[in-house]
Amino acid sequence: MTSAQVDTDKAPEEGYERGLNSRQVQMIAIGGAIGVGLFLGAGANIAKAGPSIILMYALAGVIIFFIMRALGELLLYRPVSGSFAEYSREFLGPFFGYFTGWTYWLMWVVTGMAELTAAAIYIHYWFPDIPQWVSALVFLVLLFVANLISVKLFGEIEFWFSMVKVTAIIGMIVIGIGVLTFGFSQAGDTAAVSNLWEFDGFFPKGIGSSLMTLQGVMFAYLAVELVGVTAGESENPEKTLPKAINTLPWRIALFYVGALTVILAVVKWTEFADGVSPFVEAFAVIGIPAGAGIVNFVVLTAALSSCNSGMYSTGRMLRTLADNGEAPRVFNRLSSTKTPAIGIAVSVVFMAIGVALNYLVPEKAFGYVTSVATAAGIWTWLMILISHVLYRRGVVAGRLPASSFPAPGGSVCSYVAIAFLLFVTCLIAYDADARVCLYVMAGWAVALGIGWAVLKSRNPQITERPGEPEFEKIG
């Protein structure tokens, strides 16, 4: 038996409870594809691109599917919790595993900061007398306790959060189709499929302006890779993970392309602006009673869902880092309920700092936090794709066992996705408002580089893992 096969055999036995059933994994995958980026962020993107935003979400959705199929092949080759860092470590070398693990942790911490503050703002809609920091603190504590109890409770909470989001979108689509077909409601006289091209065409502000929205569109897809983090705690990853990944295209087609197509047919694209939720605007135009309140509740669940996922992810990633000597060993411990309680607790402390900062700093800083999350997410996706390319080389050369869930086209789709993500990074660099996240990431890279130098000086063996298979390394 080769060392690679030994690692594969041991991978599932990590001390975690395999408490996520198929129903929960499916909904975690669905929920990961629906976030505040759709419910709120799409408004600004529509204002910039008009109806062509539908095409941008579809294009980005195809790339996301390529990324997830690459991840799926790796997951069925070796299903481990904290998979992105593990695959980066295995195929690109220990430094890339270290960098990816900490960067994914950063992504979820800053996302948690933003989502907690957003959730507090949504509560303020109903209860304006409750201080914003109080709501944020209450949500932080409740989700923290839920994540400590068991992975089953995390999965159940995520299931119902996702159910609310899915129901809201399907309801919007059904109502919108009814308005277009039968002409009822206040929007009946103006709703028409021709709204998709009648007002200055499908690309009203030019193809260039449409392409510039891709950075915001990619933010909407952040967390779709969360299903990979659940691999070590899924009851039957060989069955649940392929099913969750293969259903991604219809989820994107329905929840993004379908919902936005219906909304833009019911409401003229010129009605949307930055900071206006497409769903709130559509409900208002149609004249649904309490529509704003309904959407506010849905967006609240989206924010809490994202924060819940962040706590789950950060604890697992810190444990993976600790297991490889790249974070304090204390993070390696599991509680009596088989959760990485210390890692979750430390992550929650950092999220709480973010709540305090968002209370003190201007609103623009809040937007910077989400842009940093996007940049960290793009890095994670790139590492998944590059690891997949190197894994495929190993399989072709006969050095590695083939996965039971191979990506279509081998490495070709991964190369296409890599090129696309690099293109989006160039768009971010071109945008004066968005490029600040690249400066932050450069500073983060320097900090991690210093940390790696300190780790090597204390433990030179950290760069050479015992029993590691001989793979092609970069760096």
Side-chain angles (χ1 to χ4, degrees):
M1 183 178 288
T2 67
S3 56
Q5 288 170 320
V6 170
D7 283 346
T8 303
D9 293 341
K10 289 181 179 179
E13 304 300 325
E14 298 178 338
Y16 288 121
E17 174 189 11
R18 288 195 174 273
L20 294 176
N21 57 40
S22 177
R23 171 179 63 90
Q24 292 168 334
V25 171
Q26 287 294 316
M27 267 301 175
I28 288 171
I30 291 173
I34 309 169
V36 176
L38 171 62
F39 287 116
L40 286 179
N45 292 327
I46 291 171
K48 293 176 183 176
S52 66
I53 193 64
I54 299 168
L55 182 60
M56 297 300 107
Y57 273 99
L59 175 61
V62 170
I63 299 302
I64 289 296
F65 181 61
F66 290 168
I67 295 169
M68 292 304 294
R69 280 306 303 256
L71 177 59
E73 183 166 1
L74 292 170
L75 287 171
L76 270 295
Y77 150 69
R78 192 162 72 94
V80 288
S81 192
S83 55
F84 321 122
E86 279 299 298
Y87 300 137
S88 300
R89 182 175 293 106
E90 180 176 338
F91 296 106
L92 289 97
F95 173 76
F96 286 89
Y98 157 83
F99 195 101
T100 301
W102 278 110
T103 300
Y104 196 65
W105 176 84
L106 172 71
M107 184 194 96
W108 275 113
V109 166
V110 296
T111 299
M113 293 178 187
E115 302 293 10
L116 276 172
T117 307
I121 292 172
Y122 302 145
I123 285 293
H124 207 251
Y125 172 84
W126 290 301
F127 305 103
D129 295 333
I130 297 179
Q132 191 170 305
W133 68 269
V134 172
S135 299
L137 183 62
V138 169
F139 288 136
L140 185 71
V141 172
L142 288 176
L143 293 177
F144 175 50
V145 171
N147 270 270
L148 291 186
I149 293 174
S150 74
V151 70
K152 288 182 179 178
L153 182 57
F154 158 79
E156 200 61 26
I157 290 174
E158 201 57 31
F159 174 86
W160 289 108
F161 278 160
S162 295
M163 185 67 76
V164 170
K165 294 186 286 187
V166 170
T167 303
I169 293 179
I170 292 177
M172 180 69 248
I173 292 173
V174 171
I175 293 170
I177 291 175
V179 172
L180 291 167
T181 305
F182 303 107
F184 63 78
S185 87
Q186 297 174 14
D189 295 335
T190 57
V193 175
S194 59
N195 284 340
L196 297 176
W197 60 81
E198 274 197 349
F199 298 92
D200 297 324
F202 191 68
F203 292 91
K205 297 193 175 181
I207 295 177
S209 182
S210 297
L211 290 175
M212 287 302 294
T213 64
L214 283 174
Q215 50 188 300
V217 168
M218 295 307 289
F219 171 73
Y221 286 119
L222 281 185
V224 71
E225 76 292 326
L226 180 65
V227 68
V229 183
T230 69
E233 293 168 276
S234 302
E235 288 179 352
N236 191 349
E238 291 77 13
K239 289 185 178 180
T240 57
L241 295 179
K243 185 177 180 182
I245 291 170
N246 278 336
T247 54
L248 185 64
W250 74 257
R251 283 185 267 125
I252 290 173
L254 177 65
F255 299 135
Y256 282 90
V257 178
L260 288 174
T261 299
V262 170
I263 287 174
L264 288 172
V266 171
V267 185
K268 295 180 292 186
W269 74 268
T270 52
E271 301 292 324
F272 297 99
D274 189 4
V276 177
S277 167
F279 288 81
V280 172
E281 184 67 21
F283 278 16
V285 171
I286 292 171
I288 296 177
I294 293 171
V295 175
N296 196 69
F297 173 72
V298 173
V299 178
L300 172 64
T301 62
L304 294 178
S305 169
S306 181
C307 189
N308 189 42
S309 298
M311 290 184 190
Y312 173 88
S313 301
T314 52
R316 273 72 184 170
M317 200 55 71
L318 285 179
R319 185 172 185 243
T320 297
L321 289 163
D323 191 50
N324 288 282
E326 296 159 356
R329 285 288 177 188
V330 69
F331 292 139
N332 199 31
R333 297 177 187 170
L334 290 178
S335 68
S336 58
T337 56
K338 298 184 180 179
T339 61
I342 297 176
I344 295 173
V346 170
S347 301
V348 165
V349 168
F350 278 93
M351 290 181 188
I353 292 173
V355 172
L357 288 174
N358 277 286
Y359 175 76
L360 298 171
V361 299
E363 191 173 321
K364 197 165 186 179
F366 183 81
Y368 290 158
V369 168
T370 58
S371 67
V372 170
T374 305
I378 288 176
W379 172 269
T380 300
W381 291 336
L382 282 171
M383 290 301 99
I384 291 170
L385 293 165
I386 295 172
S387 296
H388 177 250
V389 168
L390 296 178
Y391 165 71
R392 290 295 307 174
R393 288 183 186 176
V395 171
V396 172
R399 297 193 305 271
L400 290 173
S403 170
S404 61
F405 188 47
S411 301
V412 175
C413 292
S414 290
Y415 280 118
V416 172
I418 289 170
F420 180 86
L421 291 178
L422 293 177
F423 173 66
V424 172
T425 303
C426 291
L427 293 178
I428 292 173
Y430 182 76
D431 189 323
D433 289 331
R435 75 169 68 111
V436 66
C437 72
L438 298 182
Y439 300 143
V440 173
M441 290 305 295
W444 176 250
V446 170
L448 287 182
I450 294 172
W452 182 250
V454 172
L455 286 173
K456 282 203 300 185
S457 67
R458 293 180 178 178
N459 179 20
Q461 289 77 29
I462 197 172
T463 60
E464 297 291 336
R465 292 182 63 198
E468 184 177 346
E470 292 297 323
F471 299 125
E472 293 182 40
K473 299 270 194 329
I474 296 177

